[in-house]
Amino acid sequence: MKLIDLNRQGGIGANCLFLRIGEFNILVDCGLNPKTPGLEAMPDLSRLRGVTLDLIIVTHCHLDHIGSLPVVMREHPKTPVLMTRSSRMLIEKMLHNSANVMKRQKEELSVPGYPLFTKKDVERCTARFMELGFGKVRRFKHGKDSLEIMFHRSGHVAGAAAVELHHEKRQLFITGDVLFENQRTLQGAQFPAGHFDTLIIETTRGLTEREYGRERVHEIARLVDSINETIAKGGCFLLPVFALGRMQELLSVFHDARKFGRLIECPIYAGGLGIGLAELFEEISRKTSEIHFDRRIMADLKLKPIPRALKPGKDPRTNALYIISSGMLVERTPSYTLASGLLGHARNTVGFVGYCDPDTPGGKLLKTPAGAEFSFDALGVRTPVKARVDKFELSGHAERDELLQFAVQTKARSIVLTHGDPGARAWFTEALGVKLPSARVFDPEPLKEYEV
Ligand SMILES: [Zn+2]
Ligand SMILES: [Zn+2]
C-alpha cells in the first residue's frame, strides 16, 4: 500500500490521507487547518493531479476533516464520498457555515482564493454523498480488483467513524478521531478486537497524561463548581467550545446539573452554529439513535443568543455563562472577542474544555502566566491576564494509553501516526517501540510517499 499525508503543514491541521491499495486510489478526509485562513490551510491537492480517485471517505464532520472536501470533489467530479448516516445529516450545515465564514474572511481580510467554495458548490456535492451504516459491509470494485469497507463507532463526535478496510489478505484499520469513554450524548468507541496488518491512528493526546483524580466525572464536577464560584462572585464565565459536539454535550451536562440543583441560576448565552446543530442533533437522535439529545433542554436552560455587539477589550459586565465558539479562541470569533474583554478582570473565568493547538490564541493563553500581558493582535487589544484561566480535561480524544493498548493488541506490522503535534507523535513512536517492537512505525512527513 502506498500512503501520502497531504496535510502540508503537519501536526493536526488539514487532515487528508491518500492511499493506493491495489488498483484503488482512496482519499481519507479532506480538511482545512483551523489555525490560519488562506490557501495554505488546505491539503496539497496538487499531488492528486492526474490521479483518478475511486473513493473519498469522510471519518467525521469537524472542519479539520471536511473543510476542503468541496474543493477536492470539484477537482474529481466523479468520485463518490462515503460517510455514516449521522455525518450525512450534519455535513451540509457544516460546509454551508464554512462557506459563509470564508466569504466574510474574504470581505474583511481579503484572503486570496477565498471562499474556497460557495453554498452552491456544496449543493452540487450532495448527490455524490453515500451513506454506510455502522457494522455494515460495502464492497467496491475496480476492474477485477475489489475491497470491502466497514465503519465502526469511534465515539469522538456524532457520526464519527473508524474505518476497517479489507483488500485481498490485507486488513487495515483507521481510527479517525476517537474517544473510548462514554459521554452524556454519545457512546464511546466500539472497536473490533484482534489483529490488523496496518493501523493508522490519531495521536492528539500523546503529550497529555491524565492525572489521578482528573477523570471525566470529576472534571465535570470541577467545571460546574468553577462556574458556580465565578457567578457567585459576580463574574462572567466563558467556555470556548467547538460548535459540533462539545456544545451539545455541555448543554446536556448543564441541563442535568441544573435539574439536580448543582448549577447556579444565571443567564446562559449560547449561539451561532452550535445551536443550529443542536436541532440537527435531535433529528439524528430520533432517526438513528446514535446519539442522545433532546432539544427541549435548550428551552429548559432558557438559552439566550450571543449579543451582537460584543465589544473588543470591553468587559460585558454580565453575570452569566457564555458557551460559544471557537473552542481554540481563533481570531475573529465570538469567543476571541469576548475573551479580550474578560481577561483583564479577576472576577471572570475562561475555561477550556478541549484540545487547543499551541499556535492558536487559546493554546497561547493557556501558556501565559497569570498577571502577564496577553495580546489579541487581530483586535489591537493588549490586556493583563487577571481572570482565572483553567483547563478541564473533557477532551473528545482518547487517552494515549488507551490508544496504545488498542494498537498493541492489533499486533499490527505497520502503524502510521496521524493527527498529532510532533511531540505527541514522538511519544507514540517511543511507546510503540517498547510495547510492540515488531511493528514498523511511520510518522509520515507531509507530501512524502511511503510504502506501508
Ligand atoms: Zn474531530
Ligand atoms: Zn480532528
Side-chain angles (χ1 to χ4, degrees):
M1 176 178 94
K2 283 192 170 54
L3 175 145
I4 307 175
D5 187 352
L6 298 178
N7 171 17
R8 67 177 108 198
Q9 294 173 333
I12 292 186
N15 291 282
C16 190
L17 270 186
F18 171 71
L19 306 175
R20 178 157 175 93
I21 308 172
E23 296 293 311
F24 289 91
N25 294 315
I26 297 174
L27 202 66
V28 181
D29 292 334
C30 195
L32 193 66
N33 194 331
K35 262 194 256 185
T36 39
L39 291 172
E40 285 292 304
M42 279 208 305
D44 188 348
L45 300 176
S46 68
R47 292 297 296 265
L48 300 176
R49 263 177 220 140
V51 171
T52 308
L53 282 180
D54 296 281
L55 182 65
I56 299 169
I57 299 172
V58 167
T59 62
H60 68 285
C61 288
H62 279 146
L63 284 186
D64 58 321
H65 298 259
I66 60 162
S68 302
L69 183 66
V71 180
V72 80
M73 288 181 73
R74 194 165 57 210
E75 291 174 10
H76 299 262
K78 293 214 167 92
T79 311
V81 182
L82 191 66
M83 66 191 80
T84 63
R85 185 159 184 221
S86 301
S87 289
R88 175 71 191 85
M89 291 167 81
L90 291 164
I91 196 163
E92 274 168 78
K93 184 140 203 131
M94 292 300 288
L95 290 173
H96 279 165
N97 184 71
S98 181
N100 282 342
V101 170
M102 286 188 286
K103 208 170 136 215
R104 219 170 47 228
Q105 285 170 330
K106 175 75 184 182
E107 285 156 12
E108 290 171 8
L109 307 166
S110 2
V111 181
Y114 267 30
L116 295 172
F117 52 87
T118 62
K119 285 182 166 186
K120 273 237 162 66
D121 292 323
V122 176
E123 269 137 41
R124 271 192 283 269
C125 289
T126 56
R128 283 192 276 149
F129 292 158
M130 288 189 307
E131 288 175 20
L132 178 63
F134 288 115
K136 302 229 160 66
V137 178
R138 183 147 186 164
R139 171 172 284 210
F140 292 87
K141 283 192 161 295
H142 184 126
K144 283 191 179 139
D145 204 3
S146 72
L147 58 73
E148 288 174 343
I149 289 178
M150 191 195 270
F151 284 151
H152 298 273
R153 289 168 203 271
S154 73
H156 173 69
V157 77
V163 186
E164 180 174 350
L165 196 152
H166 294 191
H167 177 261
E168 294 180 351
K169 289 206 171 100
R170 184 182 201 122
Q171 305 198 345
L172 167 75
F173 194 82
I174 306 167
T175 65
D177 289 11
V178 44
L179 178 66
F180 290 104
E181 277 177 302
N182 290 328
Q183 299 180 76
R184 174 68 178 74
T185 51
L186 184 66
Q187 257 180 28
Q190 290 167 328
F191 284 178
H195 174 69
F196 288 98
D197 303 294
T198 307
L199 181 64
I200 300 180
I201 55 169
E202 71 123 313
T203 58
T204 315
R205 286 170 64 79
L207 273 186
T208 334
E209 190 175 19
R210 194 183 280 274
E211 289 164 40
Y212 183 74
R214 293 239 159 161
E215 291 77 16
R216 191 168 288 263
V217 283
H218 296 152
E219 287 297 274
I220 287 174
R222 201 165 68 80
L223 171 61
V224 171
D225 286 348
S226 179
I227 294 168
N228 292 344
E229 209 178 289
T230 303
I231 300 296
K233 68 179 178 192
C236 175
F237 197 108
L238 166 61
L239 263 177
V241 293
F242 288 126
L244 173 59
R246 218 98 299 266
M247 162 123 29
Q248 300 79 16
E249 172 72 15
L250 285 168
L251 290 177
S252 300
V253 165
F254 293 146
H255 185 256
D256 290 349
R258 269 270 161 87
K259 200 163 74 189
F260 296 108
R262 287 198 291 265
L263 180 67
I264 199 165
E265 282 300 325
C266 69
I268 302 179
Y269 291 88
L273 176 63
I275 294 302
L277 288 168
E279 291 178 12
L280 273 178
F281 264 54
E282 180 173 273
E283 200 186 327
I284 294 171
S285 182
R286 232 179 22 231
K287 287 190 178 157
T288 72
S289 46
E290 282 170 16
I291 57 171
H292 320 285
F293 189 82
D294 185 336
R295 170 163 70 154
R296 277 174 302 188
I297 67 167
M298 300 195 294
D300 290 354
L301 287 169
K302 301 191 192 75
L303 296 187
K304 293 174 184 290
I306 310 166
R308 273 185 184 274
L310 288 172
K311 295 228 170 56
K314 282 254 155 47
D315 187 354
R317 298 185 143 272
T318 40
N319 193 208
L321 167 62
Y322 287 81
I323 311 172
I324 51 180
S325 56
S326 101
M328 302 197 266
L329 233 57
V330 168
E331 285 92 349
R332 294 172 193 84
T333 59
S335 67
Y336 181 78
T337 309
L338 187 58
S340 76
L342 295 185
L343 267 188
H345 305 274
R347 61 179 173 271
N348 302 325
T349 305
V350 180
F352 290 93
V353 287
Y355 172 80
C356 275
D357 182 292
D359 293 336
T360 58
K364 288 179 190 159
L365 178 57
L366 280 165
K367 289 217 173 79
T368 307
E373 282 246 306
F374 189 83
S375 177
F376 292 85
D377 295 339
L379 298 170
V381 173
R382 289 183 73 82
T383 176
V385 181
K386 291 191 180 159
R388 188 154 58 148
V389 177
D390 207 343
K391 181 157 176 34
F392 301 89
E393 295 296 339
L394 295 170
S395 162
H397 294 273
E399 301 297 315
R400 62 187 190 180
D401 290 318
E402 293 173 302
L403 271 169
L404 182 66
Q405 216 176 357
F406 173 72
V408 169
Q409 67 85 42
T410 65
K411 297 197 175 69
R413 284 196 292 272
S414 319
I415 299 180
V416 182
L417 308 178
T418 59
H419 205 282
D421 297 325
R425 294 168 188 241
W427 184 86
F428 273 95
T429 306
E430 203 187 319
L432 285 164
V434 175
K435 298 252 168 138
L436 193 63
S438 56
R440 263 188 88 190
V441 179
F442 297 84
D443 177 5
E445 259 176 59
L447 312 180
K448 204 171 141 184
E449 185 175 301
Y450 291 84
E451 187 64 49
V452 177

